[in-house]
């Protein structure tokens, strides 16, 4: 997801634009740029690669303008290059853009017929030339943007500045987030509160379809029909957040080690610690006892959290669950019974496919509940119920603490459902809640295994392929382990249900392939051991993640056994997530990849 920042300031803004863009590096990007008004003229400085390249460019060619826009780009149309980087500009207007303009080809062909020459491969250049075409016809900037916006189809957040208009900036939002920041005789535009946090803690989020005309005196917001509207002004806590690595080498390492703390914070939000009972913070507009089915939809790691939750809801509440990848859910046109529950999970709360699935579920009369890390996000605002995770900002692209906080919320919700449906007695619910209370301690004990895992990672780093196996809730965790490894180390990895081994994956096993088996000692442990024997018989290198009982009862020699603390089966996904994350992290470190910003990935995916 690209990053946007705009400033109408009282002094030179170029350095401030870059400083704000640094806070958006966590989103992932391949180029960056700024545009300012220099004596009424638009001037740009852009660079491929990291922000240090843009900073070097600005040192050689400084900008002094008091108004400007900046952008970090994650390529969607056109390869990463300085030419394709934002801002895009003509002599009259410059624009920065997050999202995708779906009809850019037809607009481009139309503009080319009028004599417009395009110099980039991007969809965004169509926007700047479309607005410019209206300026050439004599329209004022506000009217030019007003005329152009209805012609754009897709998901976008846009920021415009105009030659000769030092006290004007226009923003527009459709499908991608955009916020206004209010300062002292200064105004700001940003893709999220973190972007604005160096300058102000007073922000207002645009709703879908809104566009805003900003001057240093304030902002006028209009909805999609052009009606002037008021959007709620909020006090953001982002300015008080210290977004740095502390003493860790990478943000991912810091976030792995933050999990005992943030899971504890999340538990405190959903549990009465004194009585060890579930105490959901929000009143639910539905009765679990009356539900016939739950639909869970999410993307990536959040979807894997939903797959774990499927086991919990079905086992603890006897409530059937459908789990879908969000990008498939909306298009398969799932039949949904009015009045059932749809749960949507997203770290950012802006994931485009998840948001589209949410809107489909609402159209079908579902109760919509979202689990997000950003309570002011679009998904949160469009849900009937929001259950926030309290993970804090997650800067590393690979989700770690957001995942375990999502699991924490889902576990408490499943227990509440089991209690409401009469499946769980008071004593059952209390025992399950007590197990959750112990999770931060168990996580802290598991983090002490890091030296052993770091050593093991050196061997994993020599592999071309890795297989992860698990049963029950360990099966989604196997998929999560494989996902983590491939996204940050670039080693091919796959996660399978252990029982599926002999239905295909066993053909891959030889003496060079590590097989990570996630197998706490539970009611299906012996079944998993039989799968381990099949691997051993073919020379596979087994890495077993288990507990002391599992290590004692495993009848197969493994290359390495990672022994975690004993714990109830319900909470194993939360705790076993940590060694899975640490193994991927240290493998990536050994291989020298960009752990926090792996290639081709973005933190928040706001395009389909």
């Amino acid at each position: 997801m690209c990053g946007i920042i705009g400033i109408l300031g009282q002094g030179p803004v170029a350095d401030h634009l870059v400083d704000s863009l640094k806070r958006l590096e966590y989103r992932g990007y391949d180029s960056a740029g700024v545009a300012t008004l220099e004596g009424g003229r638009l001037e740009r400085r852009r660079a491929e690669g990291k922000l240090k390249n843009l900073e070097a460019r600005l040192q050689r060619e400084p900008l002094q303008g008091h108004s400007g826009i900046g952008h970090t780009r994650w390529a969607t149309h056109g390869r990463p290059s300085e030419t394709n980087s934002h801002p895009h500009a003509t002599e009259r207007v410059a624009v920065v853009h997050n999202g995708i303009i779906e009809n850019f080809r037809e607009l481009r062909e139309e503009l080319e017929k009028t004599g417009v020459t395009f110099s980039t491969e991007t969809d965004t250049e169509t926007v700047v030339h479309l607005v410019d075409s209206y300026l050439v016809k004599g329209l004022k900037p506000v009217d030019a943007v007003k005329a152009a916006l209805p012609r754009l189809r897709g998901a976008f957040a846009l920021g415009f500045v105009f030659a000769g208009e030092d006290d004007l900036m226009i923003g527009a939002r459709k499908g991608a987030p955009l916020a206004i920041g209010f300062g002292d005789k200064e105004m700001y535009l940003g893709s999220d509160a973190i972007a604005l946090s160096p300058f102000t803690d007073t922000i207002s989020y645009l709703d879908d379809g809104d566009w805003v005309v900003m001057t240093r005196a304030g902002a006028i917001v209009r909805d999609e029909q052009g009606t002037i509207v008021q959007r709620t002004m909020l006090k953001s806590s982002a300015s008080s957040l210290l977004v740095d690595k502390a003493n860790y080498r990478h943000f991912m390492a810091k976030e792995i080690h933050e999990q005992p703390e943030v899971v504890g914070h999340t538990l405190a939000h959903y549990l009465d610690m004194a009585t060890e009972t579930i105490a959901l913070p929000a009143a639910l507009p539905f009765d679990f006892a009356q539900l016939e089915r739950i639909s869970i939809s999410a993307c990536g790691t959040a979807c894997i959290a939903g797959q774990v939750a499927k086991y919990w809801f079905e086992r603890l509440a006897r409530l059937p669950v459908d789990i879908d990848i969000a990008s498939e859910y909306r298009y398969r046109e799932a039949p949904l019974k009015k009045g059932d529950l749809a749960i949507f999970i997203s770290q950012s709360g802006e994931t485009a496919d998840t948001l589209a699935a949410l809107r489909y579920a609402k159209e079908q009369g579902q109760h919509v509940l979202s689990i997000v890390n950003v309570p002011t996000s679009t998904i949160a605002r469009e849900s009937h119920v929001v259950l926030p995770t309290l993970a804090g900002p997650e800067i590393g692209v690979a989700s770690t603490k957001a995942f375990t906080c999502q699991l924490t919320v889902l576990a408490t919700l499943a227990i509440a459902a089991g209690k409401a449906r009469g499946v769980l007695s008071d004593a059952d619910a209390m025992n399950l809640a007590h197990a959750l209370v112990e999770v931060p301690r168990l996580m802290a004990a598991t983090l002490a295994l890091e030296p052993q895992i770091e050593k093991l990672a050196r061997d994993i780093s020599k592999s071309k392929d890795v297989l992860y196996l698990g049963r029950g809730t360990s099966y989604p965790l196997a998929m999560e382990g494989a996902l983590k490894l491939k996204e940050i180390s670039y080693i091919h990895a796959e996660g399978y249900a252990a029982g599926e081994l002999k239905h295909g994956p066993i053909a891959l096993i030889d003496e060079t392939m590590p097989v990570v088996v996630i197998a706490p000692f539970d009611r299906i442990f012996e079944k998993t051991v039989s799968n381990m024997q099949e691997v051993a018989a073919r020379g596979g290198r087994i890495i077993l993640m288990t507990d002391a009982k599992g290590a004692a009862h495993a009848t197969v020699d493994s290359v390495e056994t990672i022994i975690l603390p004993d714990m109830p089966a319900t909470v194993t996904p939360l705790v076993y997530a940590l060694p899975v994350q640490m193994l991927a992290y240290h493998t990536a470190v050994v291989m020298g990849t960009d752990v926090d910003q792996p290639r081709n990935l973005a933190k928040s995916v706001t395009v389909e």
Side-chain angles (χ1 to χ4, degrees):
M1 177 181 174
C2 312
I4 286 175
I5 181 65
I7 303 176
L8 295 174
Q10 293 295 316
V13 299
D15 288 344
H16 294 307
L17 291 170
V18 173
D19 286 343
S20 181
L21 292 177
K22 287 179 179 178
R23 291 176 173 253
L24 300 177
E25 285 189 291
Y26 70 94
R27 292 166 169 252
Y29 69 104
D30 49 55
S31 59
V34 298
T36 59
L37 271 79
E38 306 291 318
R41 300 184 326 275
L42 288 168
E43 292 281 349
R44 289 183 293 168
R45 303 290 183 265
R46 299 177 295 166
E48 184 182 351
K50 299 298 184 183
L51 280 167
K52 63 182 180 182
N53 299 335
L54 177 60
E55 289 181 297
R57 180 81 181 272
L58 284 166
Q59 286 179 351
R60 297 191 304 269
E61 305 170 58
L63 295 172
Q64 301 300 324
H66 294 191
S67 304
I69 50 179
H71 190 265
T72 50
R73 177 178 187 254
W74 184 60
T76 55
H77 295 69
R79 61 186 177 83
S81 68
E82 180 178 332
T83 300
N84 287 332
S85 62
H86 299 213
H88 290 295
T90 66
E91 292 181 358
R92 287 164 286 273
V93 56
V95 66
V96 288
H97 167 220
N98 290 355
I100 290 177
I101 305 301
E102 294 177 358
N103 61 332
F104 82 99
R105 286 187 181 86
E106 59 192 72
L107 290 172
R108 180 171 178 146
E109 290 172 2
E110 174 188 318
L111 290 163
E112 285 176 332
K113 289 177 181 177
T114 68
V116 172
T117 300
F118 284 76
S119 59
T120 79
E121 306 166 89
T122 70
D123 56 333
T124 305
E125 192 181 6
T126 305
V127 178
V128 76
H129 283 301
L130 180 63
V131 173
D132 189 68
S133 69
Y134 290 115
L135 294 172
V136 169
K137 292 175 182 176
L139 272 66
K140 299 295 185 183
V142 173
D143 294 324
V145 172
K146 181 180 178 181
L149 289 177
R151 303 201 60 201
L152 302 178
R153 188 171 71 245
F156 53 78
L158 299 165
F160 299 91
V161 288
F162 302 86
E165 300 282 353
D166 183 69
D167 193 27
L168 175 67
M169 185 175 296
I170 299 177
R173 178 260 164 100
K174 186 175 183 180
L178 198 63
I180 309 163
F182 299 83
D184 183 11
K185 298 180 181 178
E186 295 186 330
M187 291 293 292
Y188 312 97
L189 190 70
S191 42
D192 63 22
I194 291 178
L196 303 177
S197 63
F199 317 115
T200 182
D201 64 353
T202 305
I203 65 173
S204 182
Y205 286 93
L206 297 182
D207 280 0
D208 216 29
D210 284 355
W211 58 290
V212 58
V213 178
M214 297 165 47
T215 67
R216 288 176 177 82
I220 298 174
V221 179
R222 289 179 168 85
D223 63 16
E224 203 161 6
Q225 286 70 47
T227 304
I228 294 177
V229 292
Q230 299 295 322
R231 298 302 180 207
T232 304
M233 294 178 67
L234 306 168
K235 285 291 184 180
S236 168
S237 61
S239 59
S240 65
L241 298 169
L242 185 61
V243 184
D244 64 21
K245 298 186 185 77
N247 293 321
Y248 295 94
R249 184 173 174 182
H250 299 96
F251 280 112
M252 184 177 178
K254 175 174 178 277
E255 288 155 8
I256 288 171
H257 283 263
E258 286 176 340
Q259 289 175 104
E261 179 182 4
V262 296
V263 167
H265 290 165
T266 303
L267 281 171
H269 200 60
Y270 294 91
L271 277 175
D272 183 331
M273 294 292 189
T275 61
E276 294 187 342
T277 56
I278 304 299
L280 297 179
L284 302 180
F286 56 85
D287 182 355
F288 273 115
Q290 301 302 315
L291 298 180
E292 293 187 10
R293 183 169 295 273
I294 295 176
S295 299
I296 300 178
S297 187
C299 299
T301 288
C303 188
I304 291 172
Q307 289 172 319
V308 173
K310 174 180 172 71
Y311 287 87
W312 286 336
F313 279 111
E314 292 186 344
R315 186 177 302 160
L316 302 179
R318 307 307 299 162
L319 187 54
V321 174
D322 290 330
I323 175 76
D324 280 274
I325 298 167
S327 57
E328 293 295 322
Y329 178 74
R330 62 183 295 217
Y331 293 115
R332 73 179 179 90
E333 298 182 2
L336 302 173
K337 182 184 176 184
K338 185 175 181 180
D340 273 346
L341 174 63
I343 298 176
F344 299 91
I345 311 167
S346 169
Q347 188 281 139
S348 66
E350 303 291 350
T351 312
D353 287 313
T354 307
L355 180 58
L358 181 154
R359 289 168 176 166
Y360 173 81
K362 286 182 80 172
E363 290 171 0
Q364 303 300 308
Q366 299 283 284
H367 296 291
V368 172
L369 182 151
S370 65
I371 297 172
V372 296
N373 198 37
V374 184
T376 54
S377 62
T378 306
I379 287 175
R381 295 199 302 272
E382 295 196 15
S383 300
H384 300 131
V385 183
V386 182
L387 297 182
T389 56
L390 279 72
E394 188 177 63
I395 308 303
V397 167
S399 181
T400 52
K401 62 179 182 173
F403 174 60
T404 48
C405 286
Q406 287 163 356
L407 289 176
T408 301
V409 175
L410 287 162
T412 60
L413 194 62
I415 296 169
K419 183 80 163 37
R421 292 172 66 85
V423 178
L424 299 176
S425 66
D426 289 346
D428 292 333
M430 188 173 292
N431 287 336
L432 290 165
H434 176 76
L436 286 172
V437 171
E438 292 187 331
V439 165
R441 172 184 60 81
L442 294 167
M443 285 180 160
T446 301
L447 288 170
L449 300 171
E450 189 163 20
Q452 180 189 5
I453 295 171
E454 183 177 3
K455 182 179 178 182
L456 180 61
R458 298 191 189 104
D459 292 329
I460 296 287
S461 68
K462 301 170 187 175
S463 305
K464 292 184 178 180
D465 304 277
V466 180
L467 190 64
Y468 286 74
L469 300 176
R471 285 178 180 265
T473 55
S474 295
Y475 164 42
L477 207 56
M479 291 192 290
E480 173 65 6
L483 177 61
K484 283 288 166 289
L485 187 70
K486 58 186 155 190
E487 68 182 341
I488 63 171
S489 74
Y490 316 144
I491 293 174
H492 174 254
E494 296 294 338
Y496 276 91
E500 280 291 292
L501 179 66
K502 52 187 169 291
H503 294 283
I506 198 167
L508 300 172
I509 292 172
D510 59 23
E511 64 279 358
T512 67
M513 176 179 278
V515 180
V516 180
V517 181
I518 304 168
F521 189 80
D522 55 19
R523 61 191 178 89
I524 51 177
F525 178 77
E526 294 300 331
K527 297 288 186 183
T528 306
V529 169
S530 69
N531 301 128
M532 290 169 54
Q533 289 171 332
E534 293 168 344
V535 172
R538 289 154 181 82
R541 300 164 54 211
I542 301 168
I543 297 99
L544 175 61
M545 296 182 180
T546 188
D547 47 37
K549 286 183 180 178
H553 285 78
T555 56
V556 181
D557 291 335
S558 60
V559 173
E560 191 81 28
T561 302
I562 299 170
I563 301 177
L564 280 74
D566 293 336
M567 66 195 77
T570 309
V571 301
T572 55
L574 286 92
V575 182
Y576 278 68
L578 274 63
V580 160
Q581 295 165 356
M582 288 189 284
L583 184 60
Y585 169 75
H586 285 291
T587 301
V589 170
V590 171
M591 298 187 72
T593 62
D594 191 341
V595 173
D596 287 332
Q597 296 174 37
R599 67 189 184 200
N600 302 333
L601 296 178
K603 182 62 182 173
S604 177
V605 181
T606 56
V607 296
E608 294 183 57

